[in-house]
Amino acid sequence: MGIKKLMEKASKEARATAKEAFHDPFVHTMTKAYFDEYDQFILLFFSDFIGIPNPLSYHSLELFALMGEELEGWTRRMEDRKAKVDACWCC
Amino acid sequence: MHEILKKSYIFFGGKGGVGKTTCAAAASLIFAEHKRRTLIVSTDPAHSTSDIFDKPIKSKDTVIAENLWGLEIDPHDEARRYMEGVKKSLKEVVSAALVEEIKRQINIAYVTPGAEEAAIFDKFVELMGRVDTDFDCIVFDTAPTGHTLRLLSLPELLGVWMDSMVAKRKKALKLKKMLARVQDEHDLVAKIEAEDPILGILEARRQRFTYARDLLLDKEKTSFVFVITPEKLPILETRRAVTMLERHGIHVGGIVVNRVLPEGLEGEFFAKRKAQEAVYLEEIRSTFGKKVLATVPLLEEDVRGMESLKRLIPYLQEAAA
């Protein structure tokens, strides 16, 4: 194996390690942060879907056409939550 | 009354049964006589404008007299139209599997508490936008105090709610964009940077609420007139309502004292009632002072139909003279 190839291999490994150590957790955290924010947003509009009465559901109807498709994933995420009770929705 | 005559939005409110509709109807006749194109709108779900004019008034502009139109907001009608609009827009976008579930949700939303109120409110904002084009002023014959105070505080409440929703939406989009960047999804970044239709709807809503709130708080355009009778409970309730409206910044234009016993009644019964009434009239004077615009006597016959409404006009106008 030539030195060049060895270098390439080392560099590739280093990149993979860096990705694993920094990039992936970052993406993971970001994804979680995004969904937390996004799910809260949907909850405030469509809590009726999961049985929480929402006095403003009338005004949120006009968002149905735009958000309808995303509601499916949202309902699933809501149901998957392990700790429904102590999840802090308000802050 | 002459101050009120310059306004564009005049609300008549008060405790149930004091004669809000009667006074609002008579006042709307005064406006029409002053050559102002006037619309009288009933926001009470239990309408009685038709009854007072003795004429069927529908949920569309109905001609009552020269320069005078009437309208009774039908919350079910408004809600149905809104829901149908939503259902129609669903056909174009959402996948077939979800449509059924969403339709079910729409039908639930139709009967949730607050739907009727929201429907009335939407129509109310729509009507406010017709002043200057179709009409010069709108007289609102409102529901009893509690219901109306809630209706008037909705723009404030919903405005705040909408503000936070817009902020949340923006924050979520920002996170999504950051996420798309680190994952090198350039198409998605471009899509997020383009106009967000959801944000568009939210902003449009917010503007409607702000628009309604600004008009309600505009002292030059909007005024609230309370109708009371010289009795204990209406005085107490109206005093609370006046305080609350003023705290919200809504201009209270005055008080109309309705159904005051006329002079010259004979007999012990009337003498007693008259003496008791004097106490309440004094209380009204000390509580509301200069706000008292007019005093309308109790008439010997029901007020119903044009002719009897016209009999009230001189009393309502007395303050203008």
mmCIF file of all heavy atoms in Angstrom, chain B residues 135-153:
data_model
loop_
_atom_site.group_PDB
_atom_site.id
_atom_site.type_symbol
_atom_site.label_atom_id
_atom_site.label_comp_id
_atom_site.label_asym_id
_atom_site.label_seq_id
_atom_site.Cartn_x
_atom_site.Cartn_y
_atom_site.Cartn_z
ATOM 1 N N PHE B 135 -71.590 51.555 3.368
ATOM 2 C CA PHE B 135 -72.360 52.259 4.396
ATOM 3 C C PHE B 135 -71.532 53.397 4.997
ATOM 4 O O PHE B 135 -70.316 53.445 4.835
ATOM 5 C CB PHE B 135 -72.760 51.296 5.520
ATOM 6 C CG PHE B 135 -73.515 50.106 5.035
ATOM 7 C CD1 PHE B 135 -72.909 48.858 4.962
ATOM 8 C CD2 PHE B 135 -74.835 50.229 4.617
ATOM 9 C CE1 PHE B 135 -73.600 47.760 4.483
ATOM 10 C CE2 PHE B 135 -75.524 49.139 4.137
ATOM 11 C CZ PHE B 135 -74.909 47.888 4.061
ATOM 12 N N ASP B 136 -72.244 54.279 5.711
ATOM 13 C CA ASP B 136 -71.526 55.338 6.434
ATOM 14 C C ASP B 136 -71.328 54.948 7.884
ATOM 15 O O ASP B 136 -70.365 55.354 8.515
ATOM 16 C CB ASP B 136 -72.301 56.650 6.359
ATOM 17 C CG ASP B 136 -72.375 57.155 4.927
ATOM 18 O OD1 ASP B 136 -71.332 57.118 4.251
ATOM 19 O OD2 ASP B 136 -73.470 57.550 4.483
ATOM 20 N N CYS B 137 -72.296 54.193 8.390
ATOM 21 C CA CYS B 137 -72.121 53.766 9.782
ATOM 22 C C CYS B 137 -72.870 52.457 10.038
ATOM 23 O O CYS B 137 -73.799 52.110 9.316
ATOM 24 C CB CYS B 137 -72.577 54.845 10.745
ATOM 25 S SG CYS B 137 -74.295 55.260 10.594
ATOM 26 N N ILE B 138 -72.414 51.766 11.055
ATOM 27 C CA ILE B 138 -73.074 50.521 11.447
ATOM 28 C C ILE B 138 -73.505 50.634 12.901
ATOM 29 O O ILE B 138 -72.719 51.038 13.770
ATOM 30 C CB ILE B 138 -72.140 49.305 11.300
ATOM 31 C CG1 ILE B 138 -71.624 49.198 9.858
ATOM 32 C CG2 ILE B 138 -72.855 48.024 11.682
ATOM 33 C CD1 ILE B 138 -70.756 47.981 9.609
ATOM 34 N N VAL B 139 -74.762 50.312 13.149
ATOM 35 C CA VAL B 139 -75.249 50.256 14.523
ATOM 36 C C VAL B 139 -75.298 48.783 14.912
ATOM 37 O O VAL B 139 -75.946 47.984 14.235
ATOM 38 C CB VAL B 139 -76.664 50.880 14.622
ATOM 39 C CG1 VAL B 139 -77.228 50.694 16.018
ATOM 40 C CG2 VAL B 139 -76.627 52.351 14.247
ATOM 41 N N PHE B 140 -74.571 48.434 15.951
ATOM 42 C CA PHE B 140 -74.575 47.046 16.395
ATOM 43 C C PHE B 140 -75.541 46.882 17.557
ATOM 44 O O PHE B 140 -75.404 47.539 18.588
ATOM 45 C CB PHE B 140 -73.181 46.606 16.847
ATOM 46 C CG PHE B 140 -72.208 46.445 15.716
ATOM 47 C CD1 PHE B 140 -71.276 47.424 15.436
ATOM 48 C CD2 PHE B 140 -72.236 45.305 14.923
ATOM 49 C CE1 PHE B 140 -70.376 47.275 14.391
ATOM 50 C CE2 PHE B 140 -71.336 45.150 13.871
ATOM 51 C CZ PHE B 140 -70.408 46.140 13.607
ATOM 52 N N ASP B 141 -76.510 46.021 17.336
ATOM 53 C CA ASP B 141 -77.421 45.668 18.417
ATOM 54 C C ASP B 141 -76.828 44.398 19.022
ATOM 55 O O ASP B 141 -76.893 43.330 18.440
ATOM 56 C CB ASP B 141 -78.814 45.414 17.824
ATOM 57 C CG ASP B 141 -79.756 44.776 18.812
ATOM 58 O OD1 ASP B 141 -79.528 44.925 20.022
ATOM 59 O OD2 ASP B 141 -80.721 44.130 18.355
ATOM 60 N N THR B 142 -76.186 44.545 20.167
ATOM 61 C CA THR B 142 -75.376 43.440 20.674
ATOM 62 C C THR B 142 -76.157 42.528 21.603
ATOM 63 O O THR B 142 -77.268 42.833 22.015
ATOM 64 C CB THR B 142 -74.142 43.963 21.432
ATOM 65 O OG1 THR B 142 -74.586 44.575 22.638
ATOM 66 C CG2 THR B 142 -73.376 44.964 20.611
ATOM 67 N N ALA B 143 -75.506 41.424 21.923
ATOM 68 C CA ALA B 143 -76.071 40.474 22.879
ATOM 69 C C ALA B 143 -75.871 41.045 24.284
ATOM 70 O O ALA B 143 -75.114 41.994 24.464
ATOM 71 C CB ALA B 143 -75.355 39.147 22.741
ATOM 72 N N PRO B 144 -76.535 40.471 25.293
ATOM 73 C CA PRO B 144 -76.333 40.980 26.654
ATOM 74 C C PRO B 144 -74.849 41.055 27.053
ATOM 75 O O PRO B 144 -74.007 40.375 26.483
ATOM 76 C CB PRO B 144 -77.086 39.977 27.511
ATOM 77 C CG PRO B 144 -78.190 39.516 26.633
ATOM 78 C CD PRO B 144 -77.604 39.482 25.248
ATOM 79 N N THR B 145 -74.609 41.904 28.039
ATOM 80 C CA THR B 145 -73.259 42.356 28.382
ATOM 81 C C THR B 145 -72.134 41.321 28.291
ATOM 82 O O THR B 145 -71.155 41.535 27.581
ATOM 83 C CB THR B 145 -73.259 42.963 29.798
ATOM 84 O OG1 THR B 145 -74.401 43.790 29.905
ATOM 85 C CG2 THR B 145 -72.022 43.783 30.038
ATOM 86 N N GLY B 146 -72.282 40.209 29.013
ATOM 87 C CA GLY B 146 -71.180 39.252 29.091
ATOM 88 C C GLY B 146 -70.708 38.795 27.729
ATOM 89 O O GLY B 146 -69.520 38.835 27.402
ATOM 90 N N HIS B 147 -71.648 38.393 26.897
ATOM 91 C CA HIS B 147 -71.363 37.904 25.562
ATOM 92 C C HIS B 147 -70.640 38.956 24.725
ATOM 93 O O HIS B 147 -69.680 38.674 24.008
ATOM 94 C CB HIS B 147 -72.699 37.518 24.923
ATOM 95 C CG HIS B 147 -72.567 36.760 23.654
ATOM 96 N ND1 HIS B 147 -72.371 37.391 22.454
ATOM 97 C CD2 HIS B 147 -72.615 35.441 23.386
ATOM 98 C CE1 HIS B 147 -72.305 36.478 21.496
ATOM 99 N NE2 HIS B 147 -72.448 35.283 22.047
ATOM 100 N N THR B 148 -71.095 40.193 24.852
ATOM 101 C CA THR B 148 -70.536 41.268 24.038
ATOM 102 C C THR B 148 -69.135 41.647 24.483
ATOM 103 O O THR B 148 -68.248 41.870 23.656
ATOM 104 C CB THR B 148 -71.463 42.488 24.105
ATOM 105 O OG1 THR B 148 -72.717 42.101 23.583
ATOM 106 C CG2 THR B 148 -70.914 43.636 23.302
ATOM 107 N N LEU B 149 -68.927 41.710 25.787
ATOM 108 C CA LEU B 149 -67.593 42.040 26.279
ATOM 109 C C LEU B 149 -66.587 41.020 25.769
ATOM 110 O O LEU B 149 -65.480 41.348 25.383
ATOM 111 C CB LEU B 149 -67.566 42.080 27.806
ATOM 112 C CG LEU B 149 -68.342 43.225 28.444
ATOM 113 C CD1 LEU B 149 -68.197 43.177 29.954
ATOM 114 C CD2 LEU B 149 -67.888 44.569 27.915
ATOM 115 N N ARG B 150 -67.031 39.783 25.725
ATOM 116 C CA ARG B 150 -66.159 38.718 25.236
ATOM 117 C C ARG B 150 -65.869 38.934 23.747
ATOM 118 O O ARG B 150 -64.735 38.843 23.304
ATOM 119 C CB ARG B 150 -66.841 37.373 25.488
ATOM 120 C CG ARG B 150 -66.171 36.216 24.859
ATOM 121 C CD ARG B 150 -65.664 35.202 25.850
ATOM 122 N NE ARG B 150 -64.998 34.147 25.108
ATOM 123 C CZ ARG B 150 -63.696 34.045 24.980
ATOM 124 N NH1 ARG B 150 -62.910 34.880 25.594
ATOM 125 N NH2 ARG B 150 -63.165 33.090 24.256
ATOM 126 N N LEU B 151 -66.911 39.241 23.008
ATOM 127 C CA LEU B 151 -66.747 39.467 21.569
ATOM 128 C C LEU B 151 -65.759 40.603 21.312
ATOM 129 O O LEU B 151 -64.911 40.525 20.441
ATOM 130 C CB LEU B 151 -68.106 39.801 20.935
ATOM 131 C CG LEU B 151 -68.133 39.970 19.422
ATOM 132 C CD1 LEU B 151 -67.976 38.627 18.730
ATOM 133 C CD2 LEU B 151 -69.414 40.635 18.951
ATOM 134 N N LEU B 152 -65.867 41.652 22.132
ATOM 135 C CA LEU B 152 -65.009 42.817 21.918
ATOM 136 C C LEU B 152 -63.578 42.566 22.392
ATOM 137 O O LEU B 152 -62.659 43.218 21.924
ATOM 138 C CB LEU B 152 -65.580 44.043 22.634
ATOM 139 C CG LEU B 152 -66.930 44.530 22.123
ATOM 140 C CD1 LEU B 152 -67.342 45.790 22.838
ATOM 141 C CD2 LEU B 152 -66.881 44.797 20.626
ATOM 142 N N SER B 153 -63.405 41.628 23.315
ATOM 143 C CA SER B 153 -62.044 41.388 23.781
ATOM 144 C C SER B 153 -61.342 40.324 22.937
ATOM 145 O O SER B 153 -60.152 40.104 23.068
ATOM 146 C CB SER B 153 -62.038 41.004 25.258
ATOM 147 O OG SER B 153 -62.844 39.875 25.461
#
